[in-house]
Amino acid sequence: MAGCVARRALTVGSRWWSRSLAGARGPRLYCAAGGAGAFPPAATTMTRRHLSSRNRPEGKVLETVGVFEVPKQNGKYETGQLFLHSVFGYRGVVLFPWQARLYDRDVASAAPEKAENPAGHGSKEVKGKTHTYYQVLIDARDCPHISQRSQTEAVTFLANHDDSRALYAIPGLDYVSHEDILPYTSTDQVPIQHELFERFLLYDQTKAPPFVARETLRAWQEKNHPWLELSDVHRETTENIRVTVIPFYMGMREAQNSHVYWWRYCIRLENLDSDVVQLRERHWRIFSLSGTLETVRGRGVVGREPVLSKEQPAFQYSSHVSLQASSGHMWGTFRFERPDGSHFDVRIPPFSLESNKDEKTPPSGLHW
């Protein structure tokens, strides 16, 4: 029946999306013309959860965004690939890939556990495996609707002068794991709204994907490689709460005749169960090569106590740490509360804070 199109809606992140089964290359992707903020948040990962028409807000028009493609099981996505984030639901575009070492304690080798050491709590022997992550731009239209779930200014860098307190943030820049990419195509020549999109990418209809890197993107990547580079990823699951940590070395500053080394770290908390839990406390231990061991306790993280549920399963944030030594380790626990008032601790996988050995020029920010 040519005049009849079967549609099904699904919720991803805090946006409502609809998929049409009549796409040429795959299901079509729609979003609400009124903006995601007009809809109630109802996030899920990309499971095939259906919504009947009676659940759709009345009077809202769905606009075509693009056509879904089949996710890649092997190989990497190219610069210019459009995608939907499978957990947070925002639209984005791939700038370039990073090859990271993923240390997954959930699949650690069967070697016996070691004794407690400065690197963490009774560490298992964990071997890293290569995993692909992507530097991406987030569509600015989606940033307001994911801000309670994921920071949209998570990539920060030191100022290129001697004021060690000055940190700058780039809005709408993120790191995305390969399995979180849901690729799609669009006929729009500017499908992503971000101030850097047209400065970094050029439309070329002869290419697939039809967006290619400008020289400004290559120059920016090369110049800012030291503080952008993602090298190690650490992951561990406790009672169905998975914690993923990505540390980044930011550089060194001189302060009061001593050297201060800075790192940022990005943490993603993900509830793999259907039970509702809320993060209440954090407990960090920070070991420095200088021999100091610092303990930090506090309520929540970045001023929040996020709830992780089946509808909103994940929360992601970034923070910073400084040491008066060129390397160290961090580890700890997050305390969660169940609806019945009981608590349980979730382990934060231990991770190294390593400085870059060779001299690097200060980050250039967004200026060329």
Side-chain angles (χ1 to χ4, degrees), residues 296-322:
V296 178
R297 290 182 180 271
R299 295 287 295 183
V301 291
V302 293
R304 302 182 189 178
E305 297 180 24
V307 175
L308 305 182
S309 64
K310 188 175 182 179
E311 291 72 33
Q312 298 278 6
F315 179 80
Q316 181 172 291
Y317 75 96
S318 290
S319 191
H320 304 87
V321 64
S322 63

Short mmCIF file of all heavy atoms in Angstrom, two decimals, residues 296-322:
data_model
loop_
_atom_site.label_atom_id
_atom_site.label_comp_id
_atom_site.label_asym_id
_atom_site.label_seq_id
_atom_site.Cartn_x
_atom_site.Cartn_y
_atom_site.Cartn_z
N VAL A 296 39.08 12.44 49.77
CA VAL A 296 38.06 13.45 49.51
C VAL A 296 36.69 12.81 49.62
O VAL A 296 36.41 11.81 48.96
CB VAL A 296 38.22 14.08 48.11
CG1 VAL A 296 37.13 15.10 47.84
CG2 VAL A 296 39.60 14.72 47.96
N ARG A 297 35.83 13.37 50.47
CA ARG A 297 34.46 12.91 50.60
C ARG A 297 33.51 14.07 50.34
O ARG A 297 33.85 15.23 50.61
CB ARG A 297 34.18 12.36 52.01
CG ARG A 297 34.86 11.04 52.31
CD ARG A 297 34.47 10.57 53.71
NE ARG A 297 35.09 9.30 54.05
CZ ARG A 297 34.58 8.11 53.81
NH1 ARG A 297 33.39 8.04 53.21
NH2 ARG A 297 35.19 7.01 54.15
N GLY A 298 32.34 13.78 49.84
CA GLY A 298 31.38 14.85 49.61
C GLY A 298 30.05 14.33 49.11
O GLY A 298 29.91 13.16 48.74
N ARG A 299 29.06 15.21 49.13
CA ARG A 299 27.74 14.87 48.64
C ARG A 299 27.73 14.92 47.12
O ARG A 299 28.21 15.86 46.50
CB ARG A 299 26.70 15.85 49.17
CG ARG A 299 26.52 15.82 50.67
CD ARG A 299 25.79 14.59 51.14
NE ARG A 299 24.40 14.52 50.66
CZ ARG A 299 23.55 13.57 50.98
NH1 ARG A 299 23.95 12.57 51.76
NH2 ARG A 299 22.31 13.57 50.52
N GLY A 300 27.14 13.91 46.50
CA GLY A 300 26.93 13.89 45.06
C GLY A 300 28.18 14.13 44.25
O GLY A 300 29.31 13.90 44.70
N VAL A 301 27.98 14.61 43.02
CA VAL A 301 29.07 14.97 42.12
C VAL A 301 28.67 16.24 41.38
O VAL A 301 27.51 16.40 41.00
CB VAL A 301 29.39 13.85 41.10
CG1 VAL A 301 30.01 12.64 41.78
CG2 VAL A 301 28.15 13.42 40.32
N VAL A 302 29.61 17.13 41.19
CA VAL A 302 29.42 18.42 40.52
C VAL A 302 28.11 19.10 40.97
O VAL A 302 27.37 19.66 40.16
CB VAL A 302 29.48 18.31 38.98
CG1 VAL A 302 30.88 17.94 38.54
CG2 VAL A 302 28.47 17.30 38.40
N GLY A 303 27.84 19.03 42.26
CA GLY A 303 26.66 19.70 42.81
C GLY A 303 25.35 18.99 42.56
O GLY A 303 24.28 19.57 42.81
N ARG A 304 25.38 17.75 42.09
CA ARG A 304 24.15 17.03 41.77
C ARG A 304 24.14 15.66 42.46
O ARG A 304 25.19 15.10 42.78
CB ARG A 304 24.00 16.83 40.26
CG ARG A 304 23.99 18.13 39.47
CD ARG A 304 23.79 17.83 37.99
NE ARG A 304 23.99 19.02 37.17
CZ ARG A 304 23.92 19.03 35.85
NH1 ARG A 304 23.66 17.91 35.20
NH2 ARG A 304 24.11 20.15 35.17
N GLU A 305 22.94 15.15 42.63
CA GLU A 305 22.74 13.79 43.12
C GLU A 305 21.82 13.09 42.12
O GLU A 305 20.62 12.94 42.36
CB GLU A 305 22.15 13.80 44.53
CG GLU A 305 23.10 14.43 45.56
CD GLU A 305 22.53 14.44 46.97
OE1 GLU A 305 21.66 13.60 47.27
OE2 GLU A 305 22.96 15.30 47.76
N PRO A 306 22.38 12.67 40.98
CA PRO A 306 21.54 12.17 39.89
C PRO A 306 20.82 10.87 40.22
O PRO A 306 21.34 10.01 40.92
CB PRO A 306 22.54 11.97 38.75
CG PRO A 306 23.85 11.77 39.42
CD PRO A 306 23.81 12.65 40.63
N VAL A 307 19.61 10.75 39.67
CA VAL A 307 18.82 9.53 39.76
C VAL A 307 19.03 8.73 38.48
O VAL A 307 18.93 9.27 37.38
CB VAL A 307 17.32 9.85 39.95
CG1 VAL A 307 16.49 8.57 39.90
CG2 VAL A 307 17.10 10.59 41.26
N LEU A 308 19.34 7.46 38.62
CA LEU A 308 19.51 6.56 37.47
C LEU A 308 18.35 5.57 37.47
O LEU A 308 18.17 4.82 38.43
CB LEU A 308 20.84 5.82 37.54
CG LEU A 308 22.12 6.67 37.67
CD1 LEU A 308 23.35 5.77 37.67
CD2 LEU A 308 22.20 7.69 36.55
N SER A 309 17.59 5.58 36.40
CA SER A 309 16.41 4.73 36.30
C SER A 309 16.39 4.04 34.94
O SER A 309 17.25 4.28 34.09
CB SER A 309 15.15 5.57 36.47
OG SER A 309 15.04 6.52 35.40
N LYS A 310 15.37 3.23 34.72
CA LYS A 310 15.23 2.56 33.44
C LYS A 310 15.00 3.59 32.33
O LYS A 310 15.43 3.41 31.19
CB LYS A 310 14.07 1.57 33.50
CG LYS A 310 13.95 0.67 32.29
CD LYS A 310 12.85 -0.37 32.50
CE LYS A 310 12.75 -1.32 31.31
NZ LYS A 310 11.69 -2.35 31.53
N GLU A 311 14.32 4.68 32.66
CA GLU A 311 14.03 5.72 31.67
C GLU A 311 15.21 6.66 31.46
O GLU A 311 15.41 7.16 30.36
CB GLU A 311 12.79 6.52 32.10
CG GLU A 311 11.48 5.75 32.05
CD GLU A 311 11.37 4.70 33.16
OE1 GLU A 311 11.91 4.94 34.26
OE2 GLU A 311 10.74 3.66 32.92
N GLN A 312 15.95 6.94 32.51
CA GLN A 312 17.13 7.82 32.43
C GLN A 312 18.31 7.07 33.05
O GLN A 312 18.68 7.30 34.20
CB GLN A 312 16.88 9.13 33.20
CG GLN A 312 15.73 9.97 32.65
CD GLN A 312 16.17 10.80 31.45
OE1 GLN A 312 17.29 10.68 30.97
NE2 GLN A 312 15.29 11.65 30.96
N PRO A 313 18.92 6.15 32.30
CA PRO A 313 19.87 5.21 32.91
C PRO A 313 21.28 5.74 33.13
O PRO A 313 22.06 5.12 33.84
CB PRO A 313 19.90 4.05 31.91
CG PRO A 313 19.61 4.72 30.59
CD PRO A 313 18.64 5.82 30.88
N ALA A 314 21.63 6.87 32.52
CA ALA A 314 23.04 7.27 32.55
C ALA A 314 23.21 8.73 32.95
O ALA A 314 22.32 9.57 32.74
CB ALA A 314 23.68 7.03 31.18
N PHE A 315 24.37 9.02 33.52
CA PHE A 315 24.77 10.38 33.87
C PHE A 315 26.27 10.50 33.59
O PHE A 315 27.04 9.61 33.93
CB PHE A 315 24.48 10.67 35.34
CG PHE A 315 24.88 12.05 35.79
CD1 PHE A 315 24.06 13.15 35.52
CD2 PHE A 315 26.08 12.27 36.46
CE1 PHE A 315 24.43 14.43 35.92
CE2 PHE A 315 26.45 13.54 36.86
CZ PHE A 315 25.62 14.63 36.59
N GLN A 316 26.68 11.61 32.99
CA GLN A 316 28.08 11.81 32.63
C GLN A 316 28.53 13.20 33.05
O GLN A 316 27.81 14.17 32.85
CB GLN A 316 28.25 11.64 31.12
CG GLN A 316 29.69 11.79 30.62
CD GLN A 316 29.81 11.44 29.15
OE1 GLN A 316 29.68 10.28 28.78
NE2 GLN A 316 30.05 12.43 28.31
N TYR A 317 29.72 13.28 33.64
CA TYR A 317 30.25 14.58 34.06
C TYR A 317 31.76 14.57 33.98
O TYR A 317 32.41 13.53 33.82
CB TYR A 317 29.80 14.91 35.49
CG TYR A 317 30.53 14.14 36.58
CD1 TYR A 317 31.63 14.69 37.24
CD2 TYR A 317 30.14 12.85 36.94
CE1 TYR A 317 32.31 13.99 38.23
CE2 TYR A 317 30.81 12.14 37.92
CZ TYR A 317 31.89 12.72 38.57
OH TYR A 317 32.57 12.02 39.55
N SER A 318 32.34 15.76 34.09
CA SER A 318 33.80 15.91 34.10
C SER A 318 34.22 16.73 35.31
O SER A 318 33.47 17.59 35.79
CB SER A 318 34.30 16.60 32.83
OG SER A 318 34.17 15.76 31.71
N SER A 319 35.43 16.47 35.79
CA SER A 319 35.99 17.24 36.88
C SER A 319 37.50 17.32 36.69
O SER A 319 38.04 16.81 35.70
CB SER A 319 35.64 16.61 38.24
OG SER A 319 35.97 17.49 39.29
N HIS A 320 38.19 17.94 37.64
CA HIS A 320 39.62 18.18 37.51
C HIS A 320 40.36 17.84 38.79
O HIS A 320 39.78 17.86 39.88
CB HIS A 320 39.89 19.64 37.14
CG HIS A 320 39.19 20.09 35.90
ND1 HIS A 320 37.90 20.60 35.93
CD2 HIS A 320 39.57 20.10 34.61
CE1 HIS A 320 37.53 20.90 34.70
NE2 HIS A 320 38.52 20.61 33.89
N VAL A 321 41.63 17.53 38.66
CA VAL A 321 42.48 17.26 39.80
C VAL A 321 43.88 17.77 39.49
O VAL A 321 44.32 17.76 38.33
CB VAL A 321 42.51 15.74 40.14
CG1 VAL A 321 43.13 14.94 38.99
CG2 VAL A 321 43.23 15.49 41.44
N SER A 322 44.59 18.23 40.51
CA SER A 322 45.97 18.68 40.33
C SER A 322 46.86 18.03 41.37
O SER A 322 46.44 17.74 42.49
CB SER A 322 46.06 20.21 40.45
OG SER A 322 45.68 20.64 41.75
#
